[in-house]
Amino acid sequence: MSADDRRYVDALQSVRHTLDRFRGCSDQEKELLRRDLSQLQNMETKLTSGRVEIVVFGEISTGKSALINALVGKAVTQVDIQGGWTKEIWHVAWEGAGYRIPGLADSEVVLIDTPGINEVGGADRGEMAQDTARQADVILFVIDSDMNETEYSALMSLANVNKPIIVVLNKIDQYSPRERERLEEILNERLAGIIPPESIVETAAQPKEVEYIIQQADGTERSEWRTPPPKVEDLKLRLLEVLEEDGLGLLALNAAMYAADKSDRVASLKVKIREHRANQTIWSFAVVKATAVAVNPAPVFDVLGGSAVDIAMLRALAHIYGIEMTWSNIEKLATSILQAAGWTITAELGTHALSSVVKTLTLGWGTVLTAVPQGGAAGYGSYIVGKAAKYYFEHGASWGDEGPKTVVKRILEETDKKSVVQDLKEEIQKKLHLNRHSGSGS
Ligand SMILES: Nc1nc2c(ncn2[C@@H]2O[C@H](COP(=O)(O)OP(=O)(O)OP(=O)(O)O)[C@@H](O)[C@H]2O)c(=O)[nH]1
Ligand SMILES: [Mg+2]
C-alpha cells in the first residue's frame, strides 16, 4: 500500500469533509466544538505527514514511562517509584523505530506517554487518555502482574475501538521462571479471543539492580550491584511486525473512523442546541401568551386563525430550524395545527373570550388574578401549538407519514398538562408582581 492508495485518499477526504462541516457551524456551536475541531485538525496533520502514534496505556506504576525510555534508548521521560508520576500526556519521536510509511517522506513514529488509568482524582486525565487512545494507531497496554478489574475493563473498552493492541507484561525480572510461566498461562486464558497470543509480550523496561558475587583472583569474594540492561526486544519486534503488515492502512482506517466519530458529534450537538433553543422559544412565547391573556381585558386573539403570539412563535421556530416560510404559510401551519387539535386546544385558547367579559365587569388586581387560570390555560394552548410546530420543523417542514392529527394527539398525551399550567401560572404571577412594583414606583 502506498500514499496514493484508495483507502488513504478516502480517509483524507473524509477528514477534510468533516473539517468543512465544522466550518459551517454557528459561533455557538464552534465554541462548544473547539476541542473537537483542534483534534481533527491534528488528525489531518497526522495523516498527511504520516505520523504513526503508539500510545502507552496502563495502570499507575506499571512502568509505562520506563518502557518509553527503554524503546527510545535514553531517559526521555521521568520514571519514579511514586505512583501517579506522569501527569501529562506527551509525545516523543522514536527515531530508532526503524519504520516509516512508504511514500511519505516526513513519516515518523511517536510514542505517547499517559498518566495511569486509575490515577487518584484523575477522572479528567482518564478521559484525556481515552481521547488519546482514540487518536493513536497502536495501543500498548502495560501491566505488571495478572490483570485486575480496572485494567480488564479499560482493556475491553479499548478493544472495541478496532485497532491493534499489544499487551505488555512488564517487570518480568521480578518473577521466577515458574511464576512467569504461570502468568503467561493466566493471561493467555483471560485474553483468549480478545488479544492474539503473539500480541502478549514480556518486557523488563527497567530491571531492578541485582547483586553479583565476583570471585577475585586472590580467591576472596566481592559483591557488586549492577543494573541489567532493559529487555524490550520482543516488543520492538512485535511492533515492527504490526506496522510493516499495513502501517498506512492502520493510519487511514483510524483517521476515517475518527472523522466519522467527530462528524456524528457535530450532528448531535447541532440537534441538541436546536432542541434547547426551540424549547426555550416555545416556553417564552407560552409565557407571553399566558400573561397577555391574564391581563388584557379586550379579546385580541383571533382564535381559529392562530393568535399573533402563536404566529410569531412559529416564525421564530422556523428560523431556528433554518426553514424559510412566508407569513401566509406560517398562518396556514398554525391553522392546521389548531384544526388538528380540534376542540381540545381551541377551547384552551378560547377561554380568554369568556374571562375577558368577567374582567371588564370589575377593575383592579383582584380581577386580574382571577384571570390567572385562564392565562395558564391559554399559555398551555400555545405550548402545544409550539411543540407540534417543532415536530413539523424537525422533520424538514413535514408531518411525515403521520399527519398533524396523530402528532398533536401524541403531544397532548405526552404532556403533563397540570404541571405546565401550574408553571405558567407561576410565571404570570411573577410578571404581575413585577408590574405592580413598577407601577407604584412611577
Ligand atoms: N523491577 C522492575 N521495575 C520496573 C520496571 N519498569 C519500571 N519499573 C519501576 O516501576 C516504577 C514505576 O515506573 P514508571 O515508568 O514511572 O511507571 P509509570 O507506569 O510511568 O507510572 P506513572 O507515570 O506513575 O503512572 C519505577 O520505580 C520503575 O523503576 C521493570 O521492568 N522491572
Ligand atoms: Mg509514567
Side-chain angles (χ1 to χ4, degrees):
M1 182 168 177
S2 68
D4 54 6
D5 185 282
R6 181 91 231 146
R7 285 180 296 173
Y8 182 77
V9 174
D10 285 351
L12 196 54
Q13 200 175 19
S14 72
V15 169
R16 289 185 173 154
H17 182 75
T18 309
L19 281 170
D20 284 343
R21 294 197 64 173
F22 275 93
R23 289 186 192 109
C25 284
S26 70
D27 288 346
Q28 186 194 12
E29 289 162 349
K30 274 189 189 139
E31 182 59 33
L32 291 165
L33 290 165
R34 213 167 40 192
R35 211 173 109 196
D36 297 270
L37 176 62
S38 87
Q39 285 171 339
L40 195 63
Q41 278 163 339
N42 190 24
M43 184 53 97
E44 188 193 19
T45 324
K46 176 178 178 312
L47 195 57
T48 48
S49 63
R51 189 173 77 229
V52 181
E53 293 184 354
I54 301 172
V55 67
V56 185
F57 223 53
E59 274 210 54
I60 49 169
S61 279
T62 48
K64 301 178 294 299
S65 301
L67 195 65
I68 290 182
N69 287 344
L71 288 172
V72 175
K74 54 182 175 215
V76 283
T77 166
Q78 282 191 327
V79 169
D80 200 275
I81 191 103
Q82 185 189 343
W85 195 255
T86 305
K87 304 282 185 205
E88 307 264 303
I89 292 169
W90 70 280
H91 297 217
V92 53
W94 182 15
E95 278 152 20
Y99 178 78
R100 179 164 298 229
I101 288 188
L104 294 174
D106 293 336
S107 176
E108 60 170 351
V109 179
V110 303
L111 290 161
I112 304 171
D113 198 4
T114 67
I117 45 176
N118 55 349
E119 235 280 60
V120 187
D124 282 353
R125 277 188 234 136
E127 201 175 302
M128 267 157 55
Q130 288 280 355
D131 267 352
T132 314
R134 244 170 264 141
Q135 266 184 78
D137 304 289
V138 181
I139 296 170
L140 301 187
F141 194 89
V142 185
I143 54 178
D144 61 4
S145 61
D146 184 17
M147 305 180 91
N148 63 30
E149 186 70 36
T150 321
E151 290 173 316
Y152 191 76
S153 61
L155 183 63
M156 287 309 106
S157 65
L158 291 171
N160 273 331
V161 196
N162 228 332
K163 53 184 79 175
I165 301 177
I166 300 175
V167 171
V168 182
L169 174 59
N170 188 37
K171 305 194 186 176
I172 208 67
D173 57 300
Q174 289 185 333
Y175 297 103
S176 72
R178 280 193 50 159
E179 287 171 327
R180 268 173 80 164
E181 221 171 276
R182 182 79 187 107
L183 260 176
E184 283 161 20
E185 243 173 58
I186 298 171
L187 287 174
N188 275 316
E189 200 175 299
R190 253 193 228 298
L191 300 173
I194 303 157
I195 307 288
E198 65 271 23
S199 283
I200 306 175
V201 298
E202 294 171 0
T203 58
Q206 196 180 82
K208 267 216 168 67
E209 285 180 318
V210 283
E211 189 178 9
Y212 287 83
I213 310 291
I214 298 157
Q215 192 102 60
Q216 301 189 103
D218 62 2
T220 58
E221 282 181 353
R222 168 171 76 85
S223 91
E224 192 179 298
W225 288 88
R226 285 192 205 155
T227 310
K231 191 184 154 297
V232 290
E233 284 311 314
D234 290 354
L235 174 61
K236 270 190 184 170
L237 278 176
R238 181 62 196 145
L239 268 171
L240 274 182
E241 262 172 31
V242 168
L243 293 176
E244 246 144 33
E245 202 173 289
D246 190 10
L248 186 58
L250 278 181
L251 211 69
L253 175 67
N254 189 25
M257 285 193 319
Y258 196 74
D261 184 59
K262 292 294 179 204
S263 178
D264 288 351
R265 267 183 64 82
V266 177
S268 84
L269 187 88
K270 280 192 164 179
V271 168
K272 257 194 227 148
I273 289 181
R274 274 185 182 173
E275 174 85 19
H276 183 70
R277 281 179 58 200
N279 286 336
Q280 268 185 333
T281 302
I282 293 170
W283 184 250
S284 50
F285 275 98
V287 171
V288 168
K289 175 69 155 292
T291 320
V293 167
V295 298
N296 200 329
V300 288
F301 299 105
D302 171 8
V303 170
L304 280 174
S307 75
V309 175
D310 292 335
I311 306 274
M313 171 174 70
L314 298 198
R315 212 174 130 82
L317 286 172
H319 184 73
I320 290 172
Y321 285 90
I323 289 165
E324 295 286 338
M325 265 180 123
T326 60
W327 276 111
S328 82
N329 279 340
I330 284 183
E331 223 165 311
K332 272 188 211 138
L333 176 65
T335 313
S336 72
I337 294 173
L338 290 170
Q339 275 167 355
W343 180 239
T344 341
I345 54 172
T346 315
E348 310 286 0
L349 293 167
T351 43
H352 79 280
L354 187 77
S355 67
S356 64
V357 178
V358 181
K359 274 184 281 180
T360 42
L361 292 179
T362 46
L363 290 168
W365 285 107
T367 320
V368 171
L369 288 176
T370 62
V372 167
Q374 280 83 10
Y380 175 72
S382 289
Y383 181 85
I384 296 295
V385 170
K387 289 283 175 187
K390 176 172 166 257
Y391 177 97
Y392 178 81
F393 293 132
E394 267 168 4
H395 293 78
S398 143
W399 295 110
D401 309 330
E402 305 202 82
K405 249 201 168 103
T406 327
V407 173
V408 176
K409 187 163 169 268
R410 200 181 47 240
I411 290 172
L412 283 166
E413 279 163 7
E414 284 167 2
T415 309
D416 179 357
K417 180 179 171 183
K418 243 193 179 151
S419 81
V420 172
V421 171
Q422 185 53 38
D423 289 349
L424 283 168
K425 284 197 218 161
E426 279 163 22
E427 292 285 345
I428 297 170
Q429 261 148 356
K430 256 193 262 168
K431 290 232 152 68
L432 293 186
H433 200 64
L434 278 177
N435 281 347
R436 215 169 348 177
H437 278 293
S438 65
S440 64
S442 60

